[in-house]
């Protein structure tokens, strides 16, 4: 089968007669030729279709988007009609004019698959209880089928194969081949199998049925594991005449009729069996493999087992995606029947199917065990039936598949041409309107038209893709049809549609949905027939149509963790991994938490997932056995995952060290010749644990730098020649100076001149230029610049014995160990609110007002109207740049944007908090027969609107103030973003954000929250009218939008009048903003403090000092009792002091380079990074006394004040004041007494000179008196937050 698309679309960028379709060369037919052949004819021999999410470039009309200008008449929509000439081509304007001869008069279902179940988003526990209850009362039974991991393909007979959102693609091609192969296997003969295949095809077309298959083949993309064999499973049968789907019993009986491959089915007829089923799943969910699950189901099912001819363990393998549990009701039969009799009769029929399946399997298994290939005189048939798709390479697979089908069908192969708006002139919505207004349109046409109209009203993202289908034949005239494929882009569309459709009784919104566009009354599709040639072994069908319409539809998809980890974390997380290994780790952890996985399993899985991240950052090009591996991507990831699994089991991928030995940041090794640097680069990369090596300094981006400094990532190493220049490195150093280290290898002036003097191609001018450029490298801002002699570049295997190389590596490790990464969860605060709610006022001066937080965490406030670039991309970069921070989104975030917040939280270790008005209440606004519900009150809307109007003209950054033409209606528009969301639904939505339910900050808004605000009648009515007007504007088609501009202006005038008349009333009922601000800040502090204890692993953000770990006194001696404060908070105070004193500013500036030195390295000047105030020392106080006086304080937080800084040439420290007691939330009446520090000079050491110990800062007060040091008293005391801890003496094992 070919797929033909318009040449002028230039989808492949080519202009020749040959093009690529899905990797397969096909013939490009001109649009004129396709349209010339598109005269209407009987559709009874029309054929086939497909399953993938295709390019949006071929869509014809998308709901919610402005359609391209189309031509339509009151009688119908113009379509294609041309002459049969494959060589002619016409300009686009002539092609469009050729559409005028055809009018779309009818619509007819072409292919359908189950809609999303209406209970899919309901509570799992509630559905279980409902199922068990109904089974217990004999209202029905439960059935379980396996969820095979594959791709959906639909078959409506002939060549009419469809995928979920397309046709004529790789999915449908593979589906057709596997189906033809199956018939040959099932009927023990390719010739008989081919005959039955045609019989089945004709039966399907006569009865207007659609068969849906799960097609399992690695050629279509990877899921949980590479299947052992390619196969397909029949999962649904649709009767398009009556718009119903067969029950499981009917599917199996139909499958037996033609020996189609149905699924395994287990029947549970008692409530005890049902309970055992759910208990079994819960116990095996985290470890379930196919053989164990199937064995368990066999032992529990008390109503029988129907076995599939394709056992999961043999064909797909041990990785099982899940099971699907359905409740089957007895409702719908004669009301006089006894329900238990009905169920017994039902189960007896299922039992007959079980026995028939067992009998057939023996015959099928016997045949397949003795036949591996089909012997055919017909070479074409032989090639197709013996085609092993699993053995084909990914590069050749599509071409071979397409050629096999082309050989089978020859000139009769179905061709399809996707048409653009300009080609068809068809506006599907206008077609639907015309059909609804046409009294002669058939029942089915009107139902499809009503569905289209409903989707248009919902303003959801749905694409209608129109294609022209042509099937030629030697025996009869060519057949041409128009097909429309309905592509639903978002799953929540099904829920939105269902809520509307269930009250109107209109057609379901199907998946895999397509319908035929019929231009006249010449509709000769097959009508239902009752006489059909029946192969032996048929179990007679009894219609379940009545049951289908009335039964309670309850279903659960129950997946297993091994599949979920591979597919949803390892595969889907590859895009997250592109950002950083830390983002991937947080994403993986968030997923596991979201799924409710046990802590033990999380701890078991996380090392594997961290190792997978490490593997993916530098994936090998071949397996350990030398087999080439394809490029790692999400479609074909399993080749790499299987290789990784083997390496991981063999211990070749270990977790990155958490002791600080792993290098973080960028290391640039510079030399005269890059080729000479490779051995040194490889050695240093291995020693430092770098996870990535690059060879072009200009390719390194800010994103690469960000990845290199993440906690769970590794360093980035780059080799560079002197002549490549430092332009890009200089740009990176402006932001990441402290994360960049440079090693100059053989780059002294003498070494450069000596090396280049041997190169006759280099003159003296070029030598001087290179020497000059080497000076530029040395001047580039970086954390550390190190030198290595040229001779190390020739050491090769002896690099590990060279002292100069080892010293450089030690210095890099030491500097990297000073990297302090914040492992605490961060907090994103956002406002699901409307303009005028006061969010910007709440966000003012947060850092100043929240000093208790700002000294522990960075506070970032992002005002939406001032942020340049894509807002949520900026927010995501903030979270990755600043882990553990408090980030406040000063922007209205309606529910439509919550997915962005969720994505950011998922990809970074952040928790969300929503700031909502305290006085929320469900509010119903009605107009005629329509009612709409909102989670905010009309009083809230009125106050917000009044505040917006109180803004001076042109004063607002977002241009929403009293000067805005439609300021009030903009507020109403934001209010309507919450339409049909109750307070409860709003809370439910918040629970889906981040790895744990979003925190809620309740902001007081009205003075008396206990008493609902009663608005004056005129104000209430005007607000209601404005909401109805905005809702009508939102829900109506865009063609009517322009006509409502006058209505909007008139309503704006009414609203402004009401706001002015009731300004004083609204001000009186509203609480003072300062009260709201204090409540907001107080709750922020509480939530931020609670995040300290939500980490799933031991916190790594505490100062990294020897012995600062959770160890009992029985194993270690206490070295000191310390009040630990963050280095950032201390250095913020230093920066503030530098602004106060030029002398201290010069003191700090001259010591900036000391920041790169480790605090324990007394051989150099250094800043103290584990900043603390010592309360007691082990050499001055007994261990028992330290325990007695301080054990009760360990972990307690204390706020202290810094009043001055004392500094000399040898040491510097902050002078601090310690309170004598502290109150706690546990006992606010009885405070905890704080012992005085043993040092007379209470201080925090911040800097020491070479050879000077930190304790010498105790001498600073005396040095000030002698004039040997300076004391700078702050204008106002600075607060610091600290936490008490014991520092222990190291064990011998630590040394």
């Amino acid at each position: 089968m070919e797929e033909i698309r318009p040449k002028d679309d230039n989808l492949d960028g080519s202009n020749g007669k040959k093009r690529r379709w899905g990797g397969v060369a096909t013939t490009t037919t001109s649009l004129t030729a396709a349209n010339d052949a598109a005269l209407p004819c009987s559709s009874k021999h029309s054929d086939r279709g497909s399953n993938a999410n295709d390019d949006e470039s071929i869509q014809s009309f998308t709901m919610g988007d402005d359609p391209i200008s189309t031509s339509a008449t009151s009688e119908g929509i113009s379509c294609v009609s041309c002459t049969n000439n494959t060589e002619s081509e016409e300009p686009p304007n002539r092609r469009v004019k050729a559409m005028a001869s055809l009018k779309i008069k009818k619509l007819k279902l072409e292919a359908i698959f189950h809609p999303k179940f209406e209970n899919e988003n309901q509570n799992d526990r509630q559905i279980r209880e409902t199922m068990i209850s109904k089974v217990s009362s004999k209202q029905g039974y439960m059935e379980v089928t396996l969820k095979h991991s594959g791709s959906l393909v639909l078959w409506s007979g002939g060549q009419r194969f469809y995928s979920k959102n397309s046709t004529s693609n790789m999915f449908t091609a593979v589906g057709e081949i596997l189906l033809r192969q199956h018939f040959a296997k099932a009927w023990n003969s390719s010739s008989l199998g081919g005959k039955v295949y045609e019989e089945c095809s004709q039966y399907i077309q006569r009865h207007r049925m659609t068969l849906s298959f799960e097609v399992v083949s690695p050629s279509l993309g990877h899921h949980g594991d590479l299947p052992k064999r390619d196969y397909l499973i029949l999962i649904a049968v649709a009767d398009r005449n009556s718009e119903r789907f067969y029950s499981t019993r009917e599917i199996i009986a139909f499958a037996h009729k033609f020996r189609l491959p149905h699924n395994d089915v287990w029947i549970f007829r008692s409530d005890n069996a049902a309970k055992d089923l759910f208990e079994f799943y819960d116990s095996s969910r985290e470890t379930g493999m196919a053989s164990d699950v199937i064995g368990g189901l066999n032992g529990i099912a008390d109503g029988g087992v129907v076995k599939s001819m394709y056992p999961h363990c043999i064909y797909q393998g041990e990785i099982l995606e899940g099971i699907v549990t359905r409740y089957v009701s007895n409702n719908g039969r004669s009301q006089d029947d006894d329900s238990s009799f009905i169920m017994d009769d039902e189960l007896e029929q299922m039992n007959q199917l079980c026995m028939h399946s067992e009998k057939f399997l023996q015959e099928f298994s016997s045949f397949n065990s003795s036949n591996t290939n089909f012997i055919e005189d017909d070479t074409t048939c032989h090639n197709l039936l013996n085609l092993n798709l699993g053995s084909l390479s990914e590069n050749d697979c599509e071409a071979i598949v397409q050629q096999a089908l082309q050989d089978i069908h020859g000139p009769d192969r179905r061709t399809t041409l996707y048409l653009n708006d300009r080609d068809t002139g068809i506006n599907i919505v206008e077609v639907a309107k015309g059909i609804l207004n046409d009294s002669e349109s058939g029942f089915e046409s009107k139902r499809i038209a009503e569905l289209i109209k409903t989707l248009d009203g919902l303003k959801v993202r749905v694409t209608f893709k129109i294609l022209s289908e042509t099937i030629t034949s030697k025996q009869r005239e060519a057949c041409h049809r128009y097909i429309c494929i309905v592509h639903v882009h978002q799953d929540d569309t099904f829920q939105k549609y269902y809520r509307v459709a269930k009250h109107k009784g209109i057609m379901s919104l199907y998946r895999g949905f397509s319908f035929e566009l019929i231009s006249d009354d010449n509709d000769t599709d097959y009508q239902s027939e009752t006489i059909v040639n029946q192969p032996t072994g048929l179990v007679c069908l009894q219609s379940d149509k009545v049951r289908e319409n009335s039964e309670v539809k309850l279903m659960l998809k129950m997946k297993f963790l091994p599949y979920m980890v591979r597919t949803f974390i390892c595969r889907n997380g590859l895009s997250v991994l592109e950002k950083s290994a830390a983002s991937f780790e947080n994403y993986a952890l968030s997923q596991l938490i979201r799924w409710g996985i046990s802590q033990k399993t999380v701890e078991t899985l996380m090392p594997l997932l961290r190792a997978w991240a490490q593997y993916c950052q530098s994936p090998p090009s071949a397996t350990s056995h030398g087999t080439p591996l394809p490029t790692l991507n999400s479609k074909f990831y399993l080749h790499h995952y299987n290789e990784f699994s083997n390496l991981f089991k063999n211990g070749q991928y270990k977790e990155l060290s958490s002791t600080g030995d792993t290098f973080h940041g960028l290391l640039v090794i510079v030399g005269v010749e890059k080729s000479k640097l490779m051995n040194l680069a490889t050695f240093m990369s291995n020693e430092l644990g770098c996870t990535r090596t690059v060879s072009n300094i200009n390719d390194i981006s800010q994103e690469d730098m960000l990845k290199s400094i993440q906690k769970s990532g590794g360093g980035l190493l780059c080799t560079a020649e002197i002549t490549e220049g430092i332009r890009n490195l200089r740009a990176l150093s402006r932001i990441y100076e402290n994360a960049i280290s440079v090693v100059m290898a053989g780059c002294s002036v003498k070494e450069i001149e000596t090396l280049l003097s041997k190169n006759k191609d280099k003159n003296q001018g070029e030598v001087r230029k290179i020497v000059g450029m080497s000076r530029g490298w040395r001047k580039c801002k970086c954390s550390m610049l190190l030198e290595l002699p040229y001779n190390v570049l020739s050491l090769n295997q002896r690099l590990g014995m060279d002292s100069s190389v080892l010293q450089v590596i030690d210095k890099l490790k030491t500097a990297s160990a000073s990297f302090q990464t914040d492992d605490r969860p961060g907090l994103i605060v956002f406002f699901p609110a409307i303009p005028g709610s006061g969010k910007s006022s709440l966000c003012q001066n947060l850092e100043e007002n929240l000093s208790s937080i700002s000294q522990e965490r960075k506070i970032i406030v992002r005002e939406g109207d001032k942020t340049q670039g894509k807002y949520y991309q900026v927010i995501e970069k903030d979270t990755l740049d600043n882990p553990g921070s408090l980030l406040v989104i000063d922007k209205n975030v309606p529910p439509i944007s919550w997915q962005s917040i969720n994505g950011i939280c998922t990809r970074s270790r952040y928790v969300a908090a929503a700031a909502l008005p305290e006085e929320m209440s469900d509010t119903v606004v009605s107009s005629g027969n329509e009612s709409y519900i909102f989670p905010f009150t009309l009083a809230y809307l009125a106050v917000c609107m009044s505040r917006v109007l109180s803004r001076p003209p042109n004063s607002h950054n977002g241009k929403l103030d009293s000067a805005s033409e439609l300021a009030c209606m903009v507020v109403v528009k934001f209010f309507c973003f919450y339409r049909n969301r109750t307070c409860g639904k709003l809370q439910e939505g918040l629970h889906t954000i981040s790895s744990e339910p979003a925190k809620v900050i309740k902001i007081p808004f009205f003075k008396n929250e206990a008493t609902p605000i009663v608005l004056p009648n005129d104000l209430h009515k005007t607000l209601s009218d404005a909401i109805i007007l905005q809702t009508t504007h939102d829900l109506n088609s865009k063609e009517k939008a322009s006509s409502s501009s006058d209505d909007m202006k008139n309503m704006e005038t009414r609203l402004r009048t009401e706001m002015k008349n009731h300004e004083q009333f609204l001000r009186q009922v509203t609480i003072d903003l300062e009260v709201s601000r204090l409540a907001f800040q107080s709750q922020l502090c509480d939530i931020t403090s609670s995040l300290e204890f939500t980490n799933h692993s031991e916190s790594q953000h505490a100062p990294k000092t020897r012995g600062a770990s959770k160890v009992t006194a029985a194993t270690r001696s206490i070295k000191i009792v310390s009040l630990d404060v963050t280095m950032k908070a201390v250095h913020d105070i230093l920066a503030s002091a530098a602004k106060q004193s030029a002398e201290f500013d010069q003191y700090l500036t001259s010591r900036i380079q000391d920041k790169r030195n480790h605090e324990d390295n007394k051989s150099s000047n250094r800043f103290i990074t584990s900043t603390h105030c010592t309360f007691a020392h082990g050499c001055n106080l007994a261990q028992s006394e330290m325990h007695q006086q301080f054990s009760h304080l360990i972990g307690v937080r204390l706020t202290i004040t810094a009043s001055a800084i004392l500094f000399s040439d040898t040491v510097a420290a902050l002078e601090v004041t310690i309170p004598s007691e502290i109150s706690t939330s546990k006992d606010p009446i009885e405070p905890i007494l704080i012992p005085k520090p043993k040092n007379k000079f209470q201080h925090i050491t911040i800097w020491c000179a070479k050879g000077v110990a930190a304790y010498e800062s105790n001498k600073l007060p005396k040095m000030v008196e002698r004039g040997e040091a300076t004391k700078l008293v702050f204008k106002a005391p600075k607060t610091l937050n600290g936490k008490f801890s014991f520092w222990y003496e190291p064990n011998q094992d630590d040394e």
Side-chain angles (χ1 to χ4, degrees), residues 457-460 496 499 834 894-896 898 922-926 930-936 969 971-983 985-986 1024 1026-1036 1048:
L458 289 174
K459 295 301 176 188
V460 291
K496 292 177 181 177
R499 286 194 291 267
I834 63 178
I896 196 173
W898 290 1
D922 290 344
T923 302
V924 178
V925 179
S926 302
E930 299 292 337
S931 295
Y932 308 99
I933 193 166
F934 302 87
F936 304 123
M969 288 307 297
V971 180
V972 173
K973 184 176 181 67
F974 272 86
F975 187 86
C976 288
F977 285 153
Y978 298 84
R979 184 171 46 246
N980 293 333
R981 282 184 183 265
T982 62
C983 295
K985 286 187 177 180
L986 201 71
S1024 298
I1027 291 171
I1028 294 299
L1029 175 63
Q1030 183 63 50
T1031 298
T1032 303
H1033 179 273
D1034 292 341
L1035 299 183
N1036 277 355
M1048 289 286 185

Side-chain angles (χ1 to χ4, degrees), residues 337-603:
D337 290 340
D338 180 76
S339 60
S340 61
F341 173 78
I342 294 173
M343 190 174 76
D344 289 341
D345 178 57
E346 184 85 12
L347 293 173
E348 178 58 31
Q349 294 181 44
M350 289 296 296
N351 189 48
Q352 292 179 26
L353 293 172
C354 294
M355 292 186 293
H356 185 266
S357 176
E358 191 77 39
K359 180 180 178 181
F360 171 69
L361 277 176
Q362 294 175 3
E363 180 182 351
F364 179 77
S365 301
S366 173
F367 168 73
N368 279 285
S369 63
S370 60
N371 290 273
T372 54
N373 284 345
F374 295 99
I375 308 300
E376 282 288 334
D377 295 333
D378 185 346
T379 305
T380 298
C381 186
H382 172 82
N383 292 339
L384 183 140
L385 296 179
N386 292 300
L387 182 60
N388 185 355
L389 298 174
S391 66
L392 302 178
S393 70
E394 290 154 11
N395 294 330
D396 301 331
C397 185
E398 291 190 15
I400 294 173
V401 164
Q402 292 302 320
Q403 187 59 53
L405 287 178
Q406 186 63 45
D407 293 342
I408 283 289
H409 294 293
D412 294 344
R413 192 178 182 196
R414 178 195 194 217
T415 59
T416 57
L417 168 67
Y418 280 95
L419 305 174
N420 293 323
D421 285 347
R422 66 178 184 275
D423 300 320
T424 65
I426 294 178
N427 181 319
I428 290 295
V429 176
E430 293 301 323
V431 169
K433 291 177 181 177
I435 288 174
L436 290 172
N437 293 329
D438 185 356
S439 60
E440 297 182 0
S441 297
F443 177 74
E444 183 171 336
S445 295
K446 286 186 178 294
R447 284 178 62 78
I448 298 173
E450 184 66 32
L451 177 144
I452 295 168
K453 177 185 175 183
T454 303
L455 286 173
D456 181 47
L458 289 174
K459 295 301 176 188
V460 291
R461 191 169 175 229
V462 176
T463 302
F464 295 94
K465 298 185 284 191
I466 301 174
L467 59 91
S468 170
E469 173 196 86
T470 302
I471 300 176
T472 58
S473 175
K474 296 178 181 179
Q475 289 77 24
R476 58 182 68 86
E477 182 183 356
C479 180
H480 314 282
R481 299 190 305 155
Y482 293 108
I483 304 295
C484 178
I485 296 176
V486 183
H487 182 179
V488 179
H489 292 267
Q490 296 169 318
D491 282 349
D492 62 357
T493 297
F494 291 96
Q495 288 293 322
K496 292 177 181 177
Y497 181 87
Y498 171 74
R499 286 194 291 267
V500 176
K502 68 179 179 179
H503 298 302
K504 296 183 177 181
I506 59 178
M507 178 178 285
S508 298
L509 179 57
Y510 302 106
R511 289 176 288 176
F513 189 6
S514 60
F515 55 87
E516 182 182 355
L517 306 173
I518 301 172
S519 59
D520 53 29
D521 295 330
N522 186 20
D523 175 20
T524 57
D525 200 356
Y526 283 117
Q527 301 300 315
S528 297
E529 297 183 13
T530 57
I531 302 176
V532 183
N533 293 328
Q534 298 185 356
T536 58
L538 170 65
V539 176
C540 295
L541 300 180
Q542 295 180 5
S543 175
D544 283 353
K545 182 174 181 179
V546 179
R547 171 210 307 280
E548 171 71 18
N549 294 332
S550 60
E551 70 174 337
V552 177
K553 297 178 181 177
L554 293 173
M555 182 193 75
L556 284 172
K557 294 180 180 178
M558 305 159 73
K559 297 193 176 183
F560 292 99
L561 186 60
Y563 171 87
M564 296 164 72
V565 167
R566 289 174 172 226
T567 306
F568 302 131
I569 295 181
C570 294
R571 184 191 71 182
N572 295 358
L574 288 174
S575 59
V576 181
L577 191 51
E578 291 176 2
K579 298 181 180 295
S580 69
S583 296
F584 174 80
E585 181 179 343
N586 292 334
Y587 165 77
L589 185 60
S590 298
Q591 292 289 73
L592 295 172
I593 294 171
R594 186 188 301 278
W595 297 335
I597 304 304
S598 66
Q599 184 64 30
K600 181 179 179 181
T601 301
V602 170
E603 292 172 356

Side-chain angles (χ1 to χ4, degrees), residues 13 34 76 79 171 212 256 273 290 300 323 379 398 653 736 885 974 1061 1068 1120 1124 1141 1148:
C79 291
F171 294 89
S212 299
H256 287 174
I300 299 170
I323 57 177
T379 305
E398 291 190 15
Y653 275 90
Y736 299 104
S885 299
F974 272 86
N1061 292 340
Q1068 288 175 347
I1120 65 170
D1124 302 325
S1141 167
L1148 275 185

Side-chain angles (χ1 to χ4, degrees), residues 562-707:
Y563 171 87
M564 296 164 72
V565 167
R566 289 174 172 226
T567 306
F568 302 131
I569 295 181
C570 294
R571 184 191 71 182
N572 295 358
L574 288 174
S575 59
V576 181
L577 191 51
E578 291 176 2
K579 298 181 180 295
S580 69
S583 296
F584 174 80
E585 181 179 343
N586 292 334
Y587 165 77
L589 185 60
S590 298
Q591 292 289 73
L592 295 172
I593 294 171
R594 186 188 301 278
W595 297 335
I597 304 304
S598 66
Q599 184 64 30
K600 181 179 179 181
T601 301
V602 170
E603 292 172 356
T604 301
L605 285 174
M606 287 310 296
L608 179 141
L609 295 174
R610 293 189 190 103
W612 170 247
Q614 187 180 352
Y615 173 95
C616 294
Q617 289 181 328
S618 297
S621 58
T623 67
S624 54
H625 301 294
T627 304
L629 287 169
T631 302
L632 175 61
N633 58 59
S634 59
K635 185 176 182 181
F636 300 113
Y637 81 103
L638 280 171
H639 301 300
H640 279 277
Y641 184 86
N642 291 339
E643 172 64 12
F644 158 75
S645 296
N646 293 329
L647 296 174
F648 184 78
K649 290 175 183 177
N650 294 331
Q652 296 188 41
Y653 275 90
K654 298 179 180 179
E655 287 197 81
L656 294 173
S657 171
S658 59
T659 62
D661 292 337
T662 302
F663 177 77
H664 293 277
L666 170 65
L667 171 62
V668 185
I669 302 179
V670 187
V672 177
E673 296 179 69
K674 189 177 295 186
S675 60
K676 301 287 187 181
L677 302 174
M678 298 314 298
N679 287 333
L680 176 64
T682 301
F683 177 77
M684 295 188 71
S685 176
N686 292 332
E687 288 294 309
L688 296 171
C690 295
T691 56
R692 186 177 168 208
T693 301
V694 297
S695 59
N696 189 340
I697 189 68
N698 296 312
D699 285 344
I700 300 174
S701 64
Q702 289 190 25
E703 185 177 356
D704 294 324
M705 290 299 305
L706 193 58
K707 292 178 181 179

